[in-house]
């Protein structure tokens, strides 16, 4: 007989039919005449109840099962007289595939702290929270691809190892095969030419620059992959390894990009509400009871659009006691972003036209000469979810900015070339995947929405 997934049994099982189910024991209750076992196979949040009667030859085995054991059960699907479940399985035969020592198995039937669960990241996928997290991540990854594919975007795989620094120096992990205990040196300088690539190479912080190359040939492209930042920020919203979605669109200015970002977030919110209902209800119940309301709000709201200058005015008039002072020309801190989207405007806000001094040199300079066509999308509970811009497509302006920033024109000659041969207005953004998972689930720490978090001083598993 073929194995049935528990999800399929609840969705389209038929009472009276024979089934084979396999999974891990969550709990067991035994009396003299009957044993009830709850098993999970991760296909859904719901456990399936297995009933083993005393006259069943497997009853003794069943009565000795403990949490974490793996079992294979054949039996008949029957409507459950008990509350909370539609069906249960009346076991005919039960096989124990793997035991689980109750003295040492760390997952017991109680709530464990997220900190403890991070230490057992090899077992935490078996908890309700991590099962739900994995299913929501999966479903969102699928929705990301269908959103762009339905709009005719091409998925481009940009390199993970790169020699170019898209986001400014200081936060890149170097990739090297040099023996760090015995570096080849020219005086006090490391001989980079003896390294694997003949020059310094790094893990990418963003696929943007390479995506631009493809946008200027295929018009509408996106990347979706891991990115790496060696920022020493131990916060609930920063990882050293995280996934980013980066669309890059030719013949598109900032307004078009803002529209794309709004449509994209609405699509993702709607998708999880529709396709991950059970898991989202679980998060709403156990993690943040505003999760569903926030998601429904996204689908029905018009995102607010304000300029950075207007944002500064709102913050200065707010009467709030911010830790970081607010003044035109300084970057918005997380507390400022959250005030704007949570308290003042109470829905997603797209902030545009930041001072050029605090943004990257690839962003298009406005006619005022002071601001650039940057855009950040801020959402309640998270703050910045998306960062993007219209790109500087004018070679002379870009060259001036590179000179000011001390960036070698030679090293980025290919980036400048794109502005010499058929340059066009183009725009793109990056959406942090884990922050988006945090946003749709209400899980407060980013370490708990990725299977294996990498943060300063921690790269376990
Ligand atoms: O704003 P960022 O730095 O933008 C870029 O990298 C652009 N090159 C993207 C583009 O235009 N194609 O990063 C984009 C998003 C942020 O808004 C945030 O959601 C997420 O990536 N992010 C992080 N997420 C987790 N941990 C970190 N350390 C992150 N740094 C950025
Ligand atoms: Mg940013």
């Amino acid at each position: 007989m073929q194995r049935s997934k528990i999800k399929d049994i609840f969705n389209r099982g038929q009472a009276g039919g024979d089934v084979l189910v396999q999974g891990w024991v969550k709990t067991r209750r035994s009396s003299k005449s009957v044993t009830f076992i709850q098993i999970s196979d991760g296909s859904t949040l719901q456990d399936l109840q297995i009933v083993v009667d005393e006259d069943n030859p497997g009853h003794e085995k069943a009565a000795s099962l403990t949490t974490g054991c793996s079992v294979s059960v054949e039996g008949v699907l029957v409507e459950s007289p008990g509350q909370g479940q539609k069906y249960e399985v009346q076991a005919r035969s039960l096989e124990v595939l793997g035991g689980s020592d109750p003295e040492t198995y760390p997952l017991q039937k109680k709530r464990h702290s997220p900190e403890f669960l991070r230490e057992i990241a090899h077992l935490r996928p078996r908890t309700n929270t991590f099962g739900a997290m994995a299913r929501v991540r999966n479903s969102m990854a699928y929705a990301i691809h269908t959103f762009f594919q339905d709009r005719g975007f091409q998925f481009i795989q940009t390199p993970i190892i790169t020699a170019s620094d898209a986001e400014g120096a200081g936060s890149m992990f170097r990739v090297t095969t040099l023996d760090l205990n015995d570096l080849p040196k020219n005086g006090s300088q490391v001989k980079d030419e003896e390294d694997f690539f003949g020059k310094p190479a790094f893990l990418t912080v963003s696929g943007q620059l390479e995506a631009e190359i493809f946008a200027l040939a295929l018009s509408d492209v996106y990347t979706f992959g891991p990115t790496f930042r060696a920022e020493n920020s131990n916060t609930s919203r920063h990882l050293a390894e995280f996934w980013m979605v980066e669309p890059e669109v030719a013949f598109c200015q900032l307004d078009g990009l803002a529209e794309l970002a709004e449509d994209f977030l609405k699509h993702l919110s709607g998708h999880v509400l529709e396709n991950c209902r059970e898991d989202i209800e679980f998060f709403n119940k156990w993690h943040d009871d505003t999760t569903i309301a926030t998601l429904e709000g996204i689908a029905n709201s018009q995102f607010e659009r304000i300029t950075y200058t207007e944002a500064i005015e709102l913050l200065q008039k707010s009467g709030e006691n911010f830790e970081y002072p607010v003044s035109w020309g300084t970057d918005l801190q997380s507390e400022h972003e959250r005030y704007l989207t949570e308290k003042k405007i109470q829905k997603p806000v797209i902030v545009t036209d930041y001072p050029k001094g605090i943004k990257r040199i690839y962003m298009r300079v406005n006619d005022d000469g002071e601001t650039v066509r940057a855009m950040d999308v801020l959402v309640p509970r998270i703050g910045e979810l998306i960062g993007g811009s219209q790109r500087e497509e004018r070679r002379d302006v870009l060259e001036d900015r590179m000179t000011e920033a001390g960036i070698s024109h030679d090293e980025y000659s290919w980036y400048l070339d794109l502005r010499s041969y058929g340059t066009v207005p183009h725009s793109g953004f990056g959406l942090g995947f884990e922050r988006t998972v945090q946003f749709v689930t209400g899980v407060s720490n980013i370490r708990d929405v990725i299977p294996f978090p990498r943060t300063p001083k921690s790269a376990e598993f």
Side-chain angles (χ1 to χ4, degrees):
M1 204 189 301
Q2 240 203 338
R3 175 169 74 92
S4 297
K5 289 193 202 305
I6 293 176
K7 179 182 181 179
D8 295 336
I9 288 181
F10 283 121
N11 284 344
R12 26 174 219 267
Q14 296 231 315
D18 280 348
V19 287
L20 165 66
V21 286
Q22 299 178 315
W24 293 267
V25 174
K26 281 272 184 73
T27 59
R28 174 195 49 82
R29 280 180 295 127
S30 296
S31 69
K32 232 179 116 232
S33 56
V34 64
T35 284
F36 296 103
I37 313 159
Q38 302 288 333
I39 68 166
S40 158
D41 66 3
S43 61
T44 165
L45 186 67
Q46 294 180 69
D47 302 331
L48 180 64
Q49 176 156 285
I50 310 292
V51 186
V52 189
D53 289 330
E54 128 194 79
D55 51 9
N56 188 312
H59 186 251
E60 205 172 313
K61 246 187 305 174
S64 69
L65 287 170
T66 55
T67 304
C69 290
S70 46
V71 293
S72 181
V73 178
E74 272 189 60
V76 186
L77 194 65
V78 295
E79 275 172 22
S80 178
Q83 279 186 346
Q85 71 242 333
K86 187 168 164 198
Y87 292 125
E88 59 189 29
V89 171
Q90 191 72 45
R92 192 178 303 126
S93 68
L94 176 140
E95 189 188 342
V96 181
L97 300 175
S100 172
D101 182 354
E103 297 297 315
T104 55
Y105 189 58
L107 288 175
Q108 295 305 330
K109 202 200 166 196
K110 60 165 193 172
R111 274 198 103 181
H112 296 285
S113 73
E115 291 77 16
F116 172 69
L117 290 175
R118 269 172 231 148
E119 289 170 15
I120 51 162
H122 57 309
L123 296 170
R124 70 176 184 169
R126 298 185 190 185
T127 63
N128 285 338
T129 296
F130 279 87
M133 185 280 287
R135 286 185 296 272
V136 169
R137 258 186 94 97
N138 167 64
S139 191
M140 284 177 63
Y142 177 79
I144 285 164
H145 283 293
T146 50
F147 176 85
F148 288 114
Q149 295 291 329
D150 287 349
R151 281 165 181 71
F153 282 62
Q154 310 288 328
F155 174 36
I156 307 295
Q157 297 78 29
T158 50
I160 286 175
I161 298 176
T162 179
S164 51
D165 181 359
E167 291 302 308
S171 63
M172 299 184 91
F173 288 102
R174 180 152 177 180
V175 176
T176 182
T177 51
L178 293 177
D179 179 354
L180 296 182
N181 293 316
D182 186 19
L183 291 171
K185 282 189 174 163
N186 208 340
S188 61
Q189 288 273 24
V190 175
K191 283 192 195 158
D192 290 323
E193 61 281 9
E194 289 191 15
D195 204 347
F196 188 89
F197 297 104
K199 61 178 175 179
F202 304 89
L203 293 178
T204 188
V205 292
S206 158
Q208 176 194 326
L209 304 190
E210 292 89 354
E212 281 187 57
I213 295 176
F214 276 81
L216 292 178
L218 303 177
S219 309
D220 305 276
V221 302
Y222 70 106
T223 71
F224 179 21
T227 49
F228 307 86
R229 294 195 185 175
E231 299 166 284
N232 212 345
S233 357
N234 245 319
T235 79
S236 60
R237 280 185 290 279
H238 287 87
L239 290 166
E241 175 178 305
F242 62 99
W243 283 58
M244 217 200 297
V245 183
E246 299 184 88
E248 190 70 36
V249 193
F251 315 106
C252 174
Q253 305 194 357
L254 194 70
D255 296 336
L257 187 74
E259 248 169 71
L260 181 73
E262 180 168 345
D263 287 351
F264 185 40
L265 282 184
K266 286 183 169 165
H267 175 83
L268 289 181
S269 305
H271 177 89
V272 294
L273 278 173
E274 203 169 307
N275 295 280
C276 311
R277 191 74 205 186
E278 183 181 77
D279 291 322
I280 294 298
E281 279 171 2
F282 170 85
F283 285 116
N284 198 73
K285 182 166 174 198
W286 295 102
H287 289 265
D288 181 340
D289 62 9
T290 65
T291 301
I292 290 183
T294 309
L295 286 177
E296 285 170 349
I298 298 288
N300 304 320
S301 70
Q302 172 101 39
F303 291 15
E304 187 80 18
R305 277 158 222 223
I306 59 174
T307 63
Y308 166 88
T309 303
E310 288 164 342
I312 293 295
E313 282 163 14
L314 290 176
L315 291 164
Q316 283 173 335
K317 282 193 289 197
S318 70
E320 295 278 316
N321 216 338
F322 293 119
E323 189 185 336
Y324 293 90
V326 178
S327 68
W328 200 97
T330 57
D331 210 355
L332 299 183
Q333 299 295 324
S334 167
E335 56 173 345
H336 307 139
E337 296 175 339
R338 292 189 62 174
Y339 167 79
L340 291 170
T341 173
E342 276 165 30
K343 279 202 175 163
K344 180 68 192 167
I345 301 173
Q346 298 186 353
K347 57 180 179 175
V349 189
I350 306 182
V351 183
T352 62
D353 302 292
Y354 285 73
K356 72 175 183 187
I358 56 173
K359 289 291 183 186
R360 306 300 176 201
I361 56 111
Y362 55 68
M363 297 185 176
R364 192 179 199 279
V365 180
N366 280 318
D367 292 343
D368 62 14
E370 297 289 317
T371 58
V372 289
R373 297 248 74 190
M375 142 189 128
D376 275 5
V377 182
L378 315 179
V379 298
R381 286 195 277 112
I382 304 293
E384 180 192 336
L385 201 58
I386 289 179
S389 73
Q390 184 170 337
R391 315 306 187 191
E392 184 54 78
E393 85 284 15
R394 298 162 297 186
R395 181 172 177 128
D396 53 335
V397 181
L398 184 60
E399 279 184 329
D400 288 350
R401 296 213 65 202
M402 286 170 74
T403 306
E404 274 168 38
I407 294 171
S408 154
H409 293 213
D410 272 354
E411 247 176 78
Y412 287 89
S413 61
W414 53 273
Y415 196 65
L416 288 166
D417 268 358
L418 299 173
R419 276 77 183 161
S420 295
Y421 308 119
T423 192
V424 300
H426 62 288
S427 304
F429 65 73
L431 164 131
F433 186 52
E434 284 71 24
R435 287 193 192 175
T436 312
V437 181
Q438 273 189 286
F439 177 63
V440 306
T441 57
V443 168
S444 58
N445 197 311
I446 198 165
R447 293 167 178 79
D448 301 325
V449 294
I450 187 164
F452 304 102
R454 271 83 183 88
T455 52
K457 302 282 177 282
S458 171
E460 302 307 314
F461 304 94

